Amino acid sequence: MKWAPAIGGIDTFTWLRDRTLSPATNLFDLAKGFVTGRDSRIYDDEYYDTIDAAIEDIAVPTFLYGCWHDIFGGSAPDIYNRLSLERGSKQLLVGDGYHGNPGIGFGEPGFPPRLDVLERAWFDKWLRDIDNGIENYGPVTLRQQGGNWTAHGRFPAPRAQPRRLYLSATPSGTAAHAVADGSLTTEPATSRDILTVRPSLRAVVSRDTTQVLAGVTAVLGGGFTYDNRFAEGAAVTFTTGPAESDAVLSGPMNLHLRVVCHAREALWAIMICDVAPDGTSTVLSNGALLASRRAVDDERSLFAPNGDYTRPYHPLTEAALLPVPVGTPIVLDIDILTTEAVIASGHRLRVDVFATDTPRFIPILPDLVRTRLRKQDIGIDPQDPSYLVVPILGEPGW
């Protein structure tokens, strides 16, 4: 008699065989695609249509939990906004942590209940019909970076308004350690300039590395957690004046950037930072874009009332690739992961622009070769300004 233990009606051998043959476990093909660029899954391919969740079709009560610096970044708020459910039957909880320390501090004074307590209450309500009031929690509960826990009726925070902050080559006087120290201002620059950034490995020592490694390098402290000044030694920075009063950033951001590339490909990596009065620069969010992926699908993008992108949607299909002209100005709209953060009185907001951000953003090998590790230029032009579109609640006085 042949022994074949069953798992849900499927024998063990069949289950193991199917798992081994699953595309999700075919790491060799994915590695080959990264090295050669010949696997269609390095693009937004039809393959993903078979495995992507249809978020808008979810009809069951859904509780989402995430962290601002999770491997998946701001995906939890994005999914929350796509759910076609009433408030209460969809809820969002976002902490200020990493993928490897979910729920840290929960259950302590000033924090939400432990995750297992929330889970039990959620399932008691929706599976056992116990009237425990969990549907009135939140519905959006989150830890503001640089602030405390707060609750909203929706996300981004009501009344947060997208505003432009323009990039200027005028020194802010706060980043002598950077490749170039520019400013973020409420009015466009008055003169033309070119600021140059080059590939470097300094960004390895950054919070971006801790994010992509699920929080492991947080134990090293320093540049891996709350001080980005070492990494900024390879960046061009743009910094506001000190805030005159507390302000809140809430939602996605977009960096509209006029650039010149000196090879057939270029990676642009962005970090958004809070700068304390003592100069400590803390990464709040990040984003990146290959110049060849700069095409934008307006039908899937989000806009400010004045028409600025607040979240440009880049179709990452092979058909959407654009040639990168050498030595000719082009314009990029680089989406920055959604977040919520307090810029306290006396603090500043900073944009860091890098030519590399390893290991957080690594292009496939053929794209990396096409960059030729050449310099990359940021153009400051009053007639065609570069600017950050940032949602602000409050009046920081910049």
Side-chain angles (χ1 to χ4, degrees):
M1 180 177 179
K2 182 180 179 181
W3 181 71
I7 300 177
I10 302 176
D11 65 77
T12 304
F13 173 78
T14 302
W15 181 83
L16 288 173
R17 182 198 63 193
D18 291 346
R19 287 293 296 164
T20 303
L21 295 176
S22 168
T25 59
N26 199 340
L27 298 181
F28 176 78
D29 282 352
L30 295 177
K32 181 179 177 181
F34 178 83
V35 173
T36 66
R38 295 176 182 172
D39 191 313
S40 62
R41 288 171 290 179
I42 64 176
Y43 302 104
D44 190 1
D45 185 67
E46 292 180 357
Y47 160 78
Y48 294 104
D49 294 337
T50 67
I51 60 175
D52 283 347
I55 303 299
E56 291 79 4
D57 294 341
I58 293 175
V60 297
T62 304
F63 197 115
L64 292 158
Y65 172 70
C67 294
W68 297 127
H69 296 279
D70 186 86
I71 292 172
F72 305 106
S75 60
D78 295 342
I79 293 172
Y80 176 84
N81 286 329
R82 291 174 59 191
L83 287 169
S84 302
L85 298 169
E86 297 295 326
R87 296 181 187 179
S89 60
K90 67 172 182 177
Q91 304 224 358
L92 173 66
L93 178 62
V94 185
D96 186 16
Y98 303 99
H99 191 80
N101 60 352
I104 186 170
F106 284 30
E108 300 294 327
F111 281 76
R114 296 197 323 260
L115 287 177
D116 60 328
V117 173
L118 290 170
E119 289 170 346
R120 175 65 179 267
W122 187 254
F123 291 126
D124 279 350
K125 165 66 181 179
W126 298 110
L127 296 181
R128 302 177 66 193
D129 200 26
I130 296 176
D131 186 13
N132 54 19
I134 186 65
E135 71 275 13
N136 298 317
Y137 186 78
V140 175
T141 307
L142 48 85
R143 180 67 179 265
Q144 296 175 321
Q145 296 191 71
N148 297 309
W149 286 94
T150 188
H152 299 317
R154 60 181 174 84
F155 184 85
R159 301 184 302 280
Q161 297 297 316
R163 305 183 194 179
R164 284 188 183 186
L165 292 175
Y166 294 91
L167 276 57
S168 166
T170 302
S172 72
T174 64
H177 57 280
V179 171
D181 169 28
S183 297
L184 275 181
T185 61
T186 56
E187 298 293 335
T190 57
S191 61
R192 300 181 65 179
D193 276 286
I194 294 177
L195 303 176
T196 299
V197 64
R198 300 176 185 276
S200 167
L201 292 177
R202 289 180 75 96
V204 170
V205 183
S206 73
R207 200 176 193 183
D208 279 19
T209 294
T210 301
Q211 180 174 358
V212 77
L213 295 181
V216 172
T217 51
V219 299
L220 300 176
F224 290 102
T225 51
Y226 300 116
D227 194 346
N228 204 44
R229 282 178 288 186
F230 177 82
E232 288 172 350
V236 172
T237 67
F238 302 90
T239 312
T240 66
E244 296 176 2
S245 60
D246 293 357
V248 175
L249 313 183
S250 183
M253 290 171 269
N254 173 52
L255 183 63
H256 182 83
L257 196 63
R258 187 175 187 272
V259 304
V260 174
C261 305
H262 294 276
R264 295 297 180 185
E265 186 59 281
L267 174 69
W268 297 89
I270 311 301
M271 300 183 197
I272 306 296
C273 303
D274 170 276
V275 182
D278 67 358
T280 302
S281 180
T282 303
V283 176
L284 302 175
S285 189
N286 51 43
L289 184 67
L290 282 166
S292 62
R293 268 69 163 181
R294 66 187 182 277
V296 178
D297 182 346
D298 283 349
E299 291 187 1
R300 303 182 68 176
S301 299
L302 300 178
F303 297 86
N306 68 351
D308 287 344
Y309 291 114
T310 56
R311 172 174 288 146
Y313 181 89
H314 300 285
L316 301 180
T317 61
E318 188 171 7
L321 293 175
L322 295 175
V324 179
V326 175
T328 302
I330 58 174
V331 173
L332 311 176
D333 283 284
I334 305 175
D335 54 306
I336 309 298
L337 292 177
T338 191
T339 194
E340 183 155 309
V342 174
I343 306 298
S345 177
H347 286 231
R348 303 167 187 256
L349 185 66
R350 173 176 291 164
V351 175
D352 293 337
V353 181
F354 294 85
T356 50
D357 188 358
T358 304
R360 177 73 173 110
F361 299 106
I362 304 178
I364 61 172
L365 188 57
D367 287 337
L368 182 62
V369 170
R370 276 191 286 272
T371 71
R372 302 182 69 178
L373 301 181
R374 294 280 182 84
K375 69 174 184 175
Q376 300 171 199
D377 294 335
I378 302 165
I380 305 297
D381 186 344
Q383 303 304 315
D384 188 7
S386 297
Y387 52 84
L388 176 71
V389 180
V390 55
I392 301 177
L393 177 61
E395 294 296 337
W398 294 323

